[in-house]
Amino acid sequence: MAGSEKARVQNFIVDHTRTRWSPLMHKLEMCPTLACIAGNIPTRKLSGWTFSDENYTARSKEVRLCLRGLIGQGAYLAAQESEEQLPALRDFICYLAAFWPEDPDADPVEAEREYGALFDKAISDARSHGSAPELSESRQENILIGLEDYLIDMASQFQRIDQEALDGGLAACESVAAGLRQAWGGVRQAQEQMPVQPSGPVLEGGMVLG
């Protein structure tokens, strides 16, 4: 993958877009966080998007990774006792699982129940243990890739689905994405402010050996 494509997470956190304008960004202008995600979608992904069984299978795998990442994010927030985002995050996970089921012929309600249960278990475990790992940058990127897939697919249906449902889905995604940016940016800032530990024993007067 090209270096510019690997910058998804950094660009997202600092609200930077590689694309100044695109039709997808224009459609999402009412949702600034989603417009930022759209502005960092690789051009070859947009141009190569097709509605085929093969494409559905590939994108479905990406959405599954996104869902697992979102569940992991929820567990991390629960372990940090930062729970204000959890209800909206759970609702969106269930919505996304139903919107893009692994099997297009499957019952979306069943997918919603499955991922709701997975989320609830992860949150319960995190609360019980008092810990859950921070998401790695690769898992954060998995989330953004899945959200890209969702946005491209939603944008293709702007004239074909109920406007109220469309607005509701985008508003829910915008809320979750804004929460992700806030959380990831806070973690990144905390890591950058951590003091550098000396590499060897410290002698009197502050001299470091090693």
Side-chain angles (χ1 to χ4, degrees), residues 47-52 55-56:
S47 62
W49 189 276
T50 59
F51 291 93
S52 64
N55 179 75
Y56 190 96

Side-chain angles (χ1 to χ4, degrees), residues 9-136:
V9 176
Q10 294 93 325
N11 287 337
F12 173 69
I13 289 174
V14 301
D15 193 19
H16 170 74
T17 58
R18 294 190 296 114
T19 303
R20 290 189 178 182
W21 185 91
S22 71
L24 181 55
M25 290 177 68
H26 178 66
K27 289 181 177 180
L28 296 170
E29 61 185 357
M30 76 296 290
C31 301
T33 316
L34 301 187
C36 177
I37 293 175
N40 289 302
I41 298 176
T43 304
R44 64 181 181 180
K45 179 174 182 177
L46 286 169
S47 62
W49 189 276
T50 59
F51 291 93
S52 64
D53 290 343
E54 182 180 1
N55 179 75
Y56 190 96
T57 299
R59 301 311 180 195
S60 179
K61 290 178 180 178
E62 293 176 347
V63 171
R64 304 273 85 68
L65 290 174
C66 172
L67 288 166
R68 292 172 198 160
L70 290 172
I71 290 172
Q73 177 69 21
Y76 175 73
L77 292 174
Q80 300 300 310
E81 298 184 355
S82 178
E83 305 210 357
E84 63 276 5
Q85 296 177 24
L86 294 184
L89 184 57
R90 186 189 190 280
D91 287 346
F92 181 72
I93 287 170
C94 293
Y95 168 81
L96 182 58
F99 180 85
W100 204 318
E102 190 167 1
D103 179 354
D105 297 322
D107 181 359
V109 175
E110 187 57 37
E112 186 176 333
R113 289 174 182 161
E114 176 187 354
Y115 278 88
L118 289 173
F119 181 86
D120 292 342
K121 184 179 187 308
I123 299 305
S124 177
D125 290 346
R127 287 170 176 162
S128 297
H129 299 143
S131 64
E134 297 173 9
L135 293 190
S136 65

Side-chain angles (χ1 to χ4, degrees), residues 119-183:
F119 181 86
D120 292 342
K121 184 179 187 308
I123 299 305
S124 177
D125 290 346
R127 287 170 176 162
S128 297
H129 299 143
S131 64
E134 297 173 9
L135 293 190
S136 65
E137 186 167 325
S138 63
R139 293 191 72 195
Q140 292 175 349
E141 186 175 31
N142 286 340
I143 290 176
L144 294 180
I145 290 172
L147 295 184
E148 290 172 1
D149 295 343
Y150 169 73
L151 295 178
I152 296 172
D153 195 71
M154 280 286 276
S156 71
Q157 302 185 56
F158 271 29
Q159 305 300 323
R160 294 190 287 127
I161 63 177
D162 178 77
Q163 188 64 40
E164 183 177 350
L166 177 64
D167 291 344
L170 289 176
C173 189
E174 171 71 15
S175 175
V176 166
L180 292 174
R181 174 186 283 166
Q182 180 182 15

